[in-house]
Structure formats: C-alpha cells, structure tokens
Amino acid sequence: MHLFDLGYIEEPFIGLCQDYPDSTVYPIENFRIEWGPIFHRGRLDGSARVLLIGQDPAQNEAIVRRILVGEAGQRIQGFLAKLGIDRSYVMINTFLYSVYGNVPAKIKKSAAIADYRHRWLKALLTTQPIEAVVTMGVLADEAWKTWAATPDGRNFSALQVMIPHPTKPESASDGDKQKLRDETQKMLSQWNTALQTLHTAIKHPDQEQPLILYGDTWQPGDKVAIPDFDFPPGLPAWMRESDNWARRVGKDLTAKRRNITLTVPKGVVPKP
C-alpha cells in the first residue's frame, strides 16, 4: 500500500495555491523564483495539532514540491516523534521561494510577502485544532511575531516555542569539526528545553509516550524518515529517506541557479 498526500483539494487551500505572489513581490535577485513556490508539508484535513514554521525551500523541495524534506526535515520529524506526533502536524515556510544569497531587511519586512503568509496562517489556525506552534530559527520567529501582532494573530492563544533551525550547527560551524560538535550539543540542549515545554502543552498526541530527551550528539533514531503520506503520489522511497540526492551544479552562480542534478543513492539500483 502506497499512501500519499491528497493535495490541495478544499478551500481555503485551493485559493491559496491559485493566487500566490510572483516576482513582483519576491525579487528575482533575492529568490529563486524560477523553481516556483513550495507551499507546505503535512495535514490540511483538520487534524493537525502542531504547526511548524521553517525558513525557505531548498533544492530537494523544488523537486518533490513539499517543504522540509531533506536533512532538516528528517531531524524535525525526529523532534516531533519525541512528542508522540507522527502525523498530526502541518508546516509552512517564512518564504514561499528559495532564498538566493541574503534577504535585505526591507524584503524581510515586505508587507506583500507577509500578507500572503498571513493568509496561510489564518487558514491553518482556523481549520486545524493547533495546540502548539514551533518556529525554527530567527526568520521564522520574526514571521510569527509579525502575525501575532495582527488582529487575527491576537485572537490565537496556543503556545508558541522557538527552536534553532535544524541545520544551524552546520551553518554556524563552517566546516570546523569541533565547532560542529559544540554547536550540535548546544542546539540539542535548546531543543530539549522546548520539548519539555511542548510535551506538557500538547494534549492530543498521536501516541502517548514518555518524553526521551536528546543526548549531546545525534543518536540512532533521532533522525526519522518522512512518511509517504506527506508527498504527492509515486514519489520513490529514497527521496524520503536520504538527503543530498539533489544538488545545484554549474560553473558559476548563474549556472547553479539553472541546474539541479538528481542522483539515485548507491544501493538502490542493483549492480549488473
């Protein structure tokens, strides 16, 4: 049996996917508009208990058309599993398109970008029984605070917790192995604090279970494969279970914008 995500089959989500901002709102010099918008991952059927807000889609997401499906997604899937949540979640990003370089402050504060994001937040928070909101990283936290200051946002009262982005250790260590270990330990400690708060706040987990916190380093089972029911039909299992199968390639930055190379992992294709 191959389960899959039914997609955007009801309002208000149909309308959100029909009417989204383009390069007149997201400048092409700051975003990879050429790969299109990536909207969400998770439940839209009225069953989501946890809302997660990420940053922006990467190359894996451009191919499978769902957010948080690479290393970051598998780490956050493990985070949810510790809370007994293996299905009842929904995720959106701060930005609809992949960031190219750095995002200027004026773009971060763009009313047009925020307005569309607020439409998604309103749709989710009025159709799903959300018990907790998790923001991943500074950009996501700023996006939530912007929403929380709106009239609709002020009417929402569930717990909100910020955690470091799942791949912050890699981005902060810049290839230094000792710094990577230190940053990983620091992040997992912060995640543990958030888990203890969330474990109390989430009243209807998918699985009732004791909370087992992270250690100082990643352990077997901390990273969890993303379930097939989060993806469009027909997606191969290796796109859910591994990372780095999609890479931006090219001799210069322009070429890398135009090319994503896909590689089936070793072991999937039998040797002749």
Side-chain angles (χ1 to χ4, degrees):
M1 177 71 70
H2 299 284
L3 302 177
F4 61 91
D5 180 11
L6 296 178
Y8 310 98
I9 59 174
E10 295 180 350
E11 294 291 358
F13 305 107
I14 292 175
L16 285 165
C17 294
Q18 290 175 329
D19 179 24
Y20 58 83
D22 56 18
S23 60
T24 61
V25 172
Y26 279 88
I28 198 166
E29 61 267 25
N30 301 121
F31 296 93
R32 296 182 177 91
I33 305 296
E34 61 272 16
W35 291 97
I38 319 294
F39 297 108
H40 98 298
R41 176 162 75 83
R43 312 288 76 72
L44 299 176
D45 60 1
S47 65
R49 297 289 181 176
V50 182
L51 166 63
L52 301 102
I53 305 176
Q55 181 171 296
D56 69 302
Q59 55 269 28
N60 291 49
E61 287 82 355
I63 301 303
V64 304
R65 314 312 294 177
R66 294 294 184 269
I67 70 168
L68 286 161
V69 300
E71 183 72 16
Q74 292 173 47
R75 288 178 181 180
I76 207 64
Q77 206 71 29
F79 179 90
L80 288 168
K82 287 182 177 292
L83 295 168
I85 299 290
D86 57 22
R87 185 181 184 94
S88 302
Y89 53 81
V90 64
M91 308 176 189
I92 63 168
N93 272 332
T94 302
F95 298 120
L96 198 57
Y97 299 89
S98 175
V99 169
Y100 181 68
N102 295 317
V103 182
K106 67 176 182 179
I107 301 299
K108 292 179 185 177
K109 298 178 180 179
S110 165
I113 290 177
D115 286 348
Y116 181 76
R117 184 171 61 236
H118 291 173
R119 288 171 57 197
W120 264 96
L121 287 168
K122 182 176 181 179
L124 292 171
L125 295 171
T126 55
T127 62
Q128 315 292 315
I130 301 296
E131 298 179 349
V133 177
V134 180
T135 54
M136 294 175 274
V138 174
L139 284 174
D141 203 56
E142 290 175 348
W144 175 257
K145 286 182 170 61
T146 300
W147 155 260
T150 66
D152 288 324
R154 287 193 290 269
N155 288 329
F156 182 74
S157 59
L159 174 73
Q160 181 257 326
V161 172
M162 175 186 174
I163 63 172
H165 189 275
T167 55
K168 184 181 179 183
E170 283 76 10
S171 59
S173 60
D174 196 27
D176 185 312
K177 292 183 178 180
Q178 183 57 50
K179 192 172 183 181
L180 176 61
R181 287 191 288 269
D182 293 343
E183 290 290 335
T184 298
Q185 181 179 354
K186 178 181 176 182
M187 186 187 80
L188 293 178
S189 176
Q190 293 171 309
W191 278 23
N192 282 338
T193 299
L195 283 170
Q196 292 173 81
T197 302
L198 290 163
H199 191 258
T200 301
I202 297 171
K203 305 300 183 184
H204 301 86
D206 298 318
Q207 307 290 334
E208 293 282 356
Q209 62 187 46
L211 176 60
I212 300 175
L213 298 176
Y214 290 98
D216 292 339
T217 61
W218 296 111
Q219 300 297 320
D222 285 347
K223 190 170 74 169
V224 173
I226 298 162
D228 52 3
F229 52 71
D230 276 13
F231 293 99
L235 196 83
W238 55 265
M239 286 189 176
R240 300 187 288 106
E241 298 168 354
S242 61
D243 194 27
N244 293 323
W245 49 263
R247 293 179 178 271
R248 300 191 191 278
V249 297
K251 62 181 180 180
D252 54 36
L253 293 177
T254 300
K256 287 182 178 180
R257 284 193 70 150
R258 297 179 58 232
N259 294 278
I260 296 178
T261 294
L262 308 186
T263 303
V264 177
K266 290 182 179 179
V268 175
V269 179
K271 293 181 180 180

